[in-house]
mmCIF file of all heavy atoms in Angstrom:
data_model
loop_
_atom_site.group_PDB
_atom_site.id
_atom_site.type_symbol
_atom_site.label_atom_id
_atom_site.label_comp_id
_atom_site.label_asym_id
_atom_site.label_seq_id
_atom_site.Cartn_x
_atom_site.Cartn_y
_atom_site.Cartn_z
ATOM 1 N N ALA E 180 156.924 -123.353 64.720
ATOM 2 C CA ALA E 180 156.083 -122.423 65.263
ATOM 3 C C ALA E 180 154.738 -122.940 65.703
ATOM 4 O O ALA E 180 153.876 -122.207 66.422
ATOM 5 C CB ALA E 180 155.934 -121.148 64.368
ATOM 6 N N GLY E 181 154.335 -124.138 65.317
ATOM 7 C CA GLY E 181 153.114 -124.725 65.745
ATOM 8 C C GLY E 181 151.959 -124.147 65.001
ATOM 9 O O GLY E 181 150.837 -123.993 65.569
ATOM 10 N N ILE E 182 152.184 -123.817 63.714
ATOM 11 C CA ILE E 182 151.068 -123.247 62.980
ATOM 12 C C ILE E 182 150.725 -124.101 61.839
ATOM 13 O O ILE E 182 151.659 -124.537 61.029
ATOM 14 C CB ILE E 182 151.460 -121.766 62.422
ATOM 15 C CG1 ILE E 182 151.801 -120.794 63.673
ATOM 16 C CG2 ILE E 182 150.363 -121.159 61.558
ATOM 17 C CD1 ILE E 182 152.433 -119.486 63.207
ATOM 18 N N HIS E 183 149.434 -124.274 61.566
ATOM 19 C CA HIS E 183 148.984 -125.141 60.485
ATOM 20 C C HIS E 183 149.242 -124.404 59.160
ATOM 21 O O HIS E 183 148.910 -123.287 59.023
ATOM 22 C CB HIS E 183 147.426 -125.515 60.683
ATOM 23 C CG HIS E 183 146.934 -126.549 59.768
ATOM 24 N ND1 HIS E 183 146.868 -126.423 58.408
ATOM 25 C CD2 HIS E 183 146.512 -127.753 60.076
ATOM 26 C CE1 HIS E 183 146.318 -127.547 57.887
ATOM 27 N NE2 HIS E 183 146.120 -128.292 58.896
ATOM 28 N N PRO E 184 149.702 -125.141 58.136
ATOM 29 C CA PRO E 184 150.150 -124.510 56.856
ATOM 30 C C PRO E 184 148.862 -123.916 56.217
ATOM 31 O O PRO E 184 149.126 -122.878 55.367
ATOM 32 C CB PRO E 184 150.683 -125.602 56.072
ATOM 33 C CG PRO E 184 150.454 -126.903 56.781
ATOM 34 C CD PRO E 184 150.235 -126.503 58.197
ATOM 35 N N GLN E 185 147.639 -124.333 56.407
ATOM 36 C CA GLN E 185 146.569 -123.820 55.735
ATOM 37 C C GLN E 185 145.789 -122.723 56.525
ATOM 38 O O GLN E 185 144.747 -122.113 56.175
ATOM 39 C CB GLN E 185 145.548 -125.007 55.548
ATOM 40 C CG GLN E 185 145.942 -125.880 54.408
ATOM 41 C CD GLN E 185 144.938 -126.998 54.164
ATOM 42 O OE1 GLN E 185 144.654 -127.839 55.045
ATOM 43 N NE2 GLN E 185 144.406 -127.134 52.975
ATOM 44 N N GLN E 186 146.351 -122.436 57.713
ATOM 45 C CA GLN E 186 145.768 -121.318 58.452
ATOM 46 C C GLN E 186 145.870 -119.997 57.648
ATOM 47 O O GLN E 186 146.807 -119.662 57.053
ATOM 48 C CB GLN E 186 146.751 -121.045 59.665
ATOM 49 C CG GLN E 186 146.054 -120.082 60.746
ATOM 50 C CD GLN E 186 144.930 -120.729 61.467
ATOM 51 O OE1 GLN E 186 144.945 -121.945 61.896
ATOM 52 N NE2 GLN E 186 143.903 -119.924 61.658
ATOM 53 N N ALA E 187 144.704 -119.424 57.607
ATOM 54 C CA ALA E 187 144.605 -118.065 56.810
ATOM 55 C C ALA E 187 145.440 -117.086 57.489
ATOM 56 O O ALA E 187 145.530 -116.912 58.649
ATOM 57 C CB ALA E 187 143.118 -117.619 56.829
ATOM 58 N N ALA E 188 146.330 -116.422 56.526
ATOM 59 C CA ALA E 188 147.438 -115.484 57.136
ATOM 60 C C ALA E 188 146.803 -114.476 58.053
ATOM 61 O O ALA E 188 147.369 -114.072 59.046
ATOM 62 C CB ALA E 188 148.008 -114.906 55.922
ATOM 63 N N GLY E 189 145.633 -113.873 57.582
ATOM 64 C CA GLY E 189 145.052 -112.851 58.338
ATOM 65 C C GLY E 189 144.335 -113.221 59.699
ATOM 66 O O GLY E 189 143.996 -112.374 60.441
ATOM 67 N N SER E 190 144.429 -114.506 59.990
ATOM 68 C CA SER E 190 143.818 -114.991 61.257
ATOM 69 C C SER E 190 144.896 -115.304 62.272
ATOM 70 O O SER E 190 144.540 -115.807 63.331
ATOM 71 C CB SER E 190 142.932 -116.294 60.940
ATOM 72 O OG SER E 190 143.861 -117.349 60.715
ATOM 73 N N ILE E 191 146.086 -115.080 61.947
ATOM 74 C CA ILE E 191 147.134 -115.433 62.797
ATOM 75 C C ILE E 191 147.514 -114.189 63.760
ATOM 76 O O ILE E 191 147.511 -113.079 63.191
ATOM 77 C CB ILE E 191 148.388 -115.795 61.968
ATOM 78 C CG1 ILE E 191 148.045 -117.138 61.343
ATOM 79 C CG2 ILE E 191 149.633 -115.883 62.877
ATOM 80 C CD1 ILE E 191 149.076 -117.668 60.348
ATOM 81 N N SER E 192 147.685 -114.449 64.988
ATOM 82 C CA SER E 192 147.797 -113.286 65.900
ATOM 83 C C SER E 192 149.204 -112.763 65.886
ATOM 84 O O SER E 192 150.175 -113.351 65.352
ATOM 85 C CB SER E 192 147.694 -113.821 67.399
ATOM 86 O OG SER E 192 148.701 -114.749 67.751
ATOM 87 N N LEU E 193 149.370 -111.522 66.495
ATOM 88 C CA LEU E 193 150.685 -110.951 66.386
ATOM 89 C C LEU E 193 151.765 -111.810 67.195
ATOM 90 O O LEU E 193 152.790 -111.963 66.694
ATOM 91 C CB LEU E 193 150.564 -109.496 67.140
ATOM 92 C CG LEU E 193 151.884 -108.667 67.319
ATOM 93 C CD1 LEU E 193 152.584 -108.523 65.967
ATOM 94 C CD2 LEU E 193 151.589 -107.394 68.075
ATOM 95 N N ALA E 194 151.308 -112.213 68.314
ATOM 96 C CA ALA E 194 152.193 -113.122 69.058
ATOM 97 C C ALA E 194 152.711 -114.405 68.239
ATOM 98 O O ALA E 194 153.856 -114.804 68.292
ATOM 99 C CB ALA E 194 151.531 -113.712 70.335
ATOM 100 N N GLN E 195 151.778 -115.030 67.523
ATOM 101 C CA GLN E 195 152.214 -116.111 66.682
ATOM 102 C C GLN E 195 153.156 -115.612 65.558
ATOM 103 O O GLN E 195 154.108 -116.323 65.221
ATOM 104 C CB GLN E 195 150.941 -116.679 66.032
ATOM 105 C CG GLN E 195 150.117 -117.650 66.981
ATOM 106 C CD GLN E 195 148.852 -118.151 66.283
ATOM 107 O OE1 GLN E 195 148.030 -117.433 65.722
ATOM 108 N NE2 GLN E 195 148.803 -119.429 66.181
ATOM 109 N N PHE E 196 152.867 -114.492 65.027
ATOM 110 C CA PHE E 196 153.732 -114.080 63.934
ATOM 111 C C PHE E 196 155.081 -113.732 64.541
ATOM 112 O O PHE E 196 156.194 -113.896 63.845
ATOM 113 C CB PHE E 196 153.190 -112.757 63.332
ATOM 114 C CG PHE E 196 152.339 -113.096 62.082
ATOM 115 C CD1 PHE E 196 151.054 -112.603 62.004
ATOM 116 C CD2 PHE E 196 152.879 -113.894 61.040
ATOM 117 C CE1 PHE E 196 150.247 -112.896 60.847
ATOM 118 C CE2 PHE E 196 151.992 -114.209 59.964
ATOM 119 C CZ PHE E 196 150.772 -113.693 59.829
ATOM 120 N N GLN E 197 155.185 -113.189 65.798
ATOM 121 C CA GLN E 197 156.542 -112.896 66.308
ATOM 122 C C GLN E 197 157.251 -114.134 66.566
ATOM 123 O O GLN E 197 158.427 -114.266 66.297
ATOM 124 C CB GLN E 197 156.333 -112.255 67.676
ATOM 125 C CG GLN E 197 155.883 -110.661 67.425
ATOM 126 C CD GLN E 197 155.421 -109.931 68.634
ATOM 127 O OE1 GLN E 197 155.020 -110.531 69.598
ATOM 128 N NE2 GLN E 197 155.465 -108.611 68.527
ATOM 129 N N CYS E 198 156.585 -115.191 66.889
ATOM 130 C CA CYS E 198 157.155 -116.556 67.059
ATOM 131 C C CYS E 198 157.695 -117.026 65.682
ATOM 132 O O CYS E 198 158.758 -117.548 65.558
ATOM 133 C CB CYS E 198 156.209 -117.576 67.704
ATOM 134 S SG CYS E 198 156.764 -119.288 67.719
ATOM 135 N N LEU E 199 156.771 -116.852 64.696
ATOM 136 C CA LEU E 199 157.152 -117.382 63.452
ATOM 137 C C LEU E 199 158.305 -116.670 62.665
ATOM 138 O O LEU E 199 159.246 -117.247 62.186
ATOM 139 C CB LEU E 199 155.822 -117.223 62.426
ATOM 140 C CG LEU E 199 156.038 -117.694 61.098
ATOM 141 C CD1 LEU E 199 156.319 -119.285 60.980
ATOM 142 C CD2 LEU E 199 154.632 -117.574 60.371
#
Side-chain angles (χ1 to χ4, degrees):
Chain E
I182 299 170
H183 192 290
Q185 285 177 301
Q186 187 76 41
S190 73
I191 292 172
S192 70
L193 175 59
Q195 282 179 301
F196 269 128
Q197 286 169 335
C198 172
L199 184 56

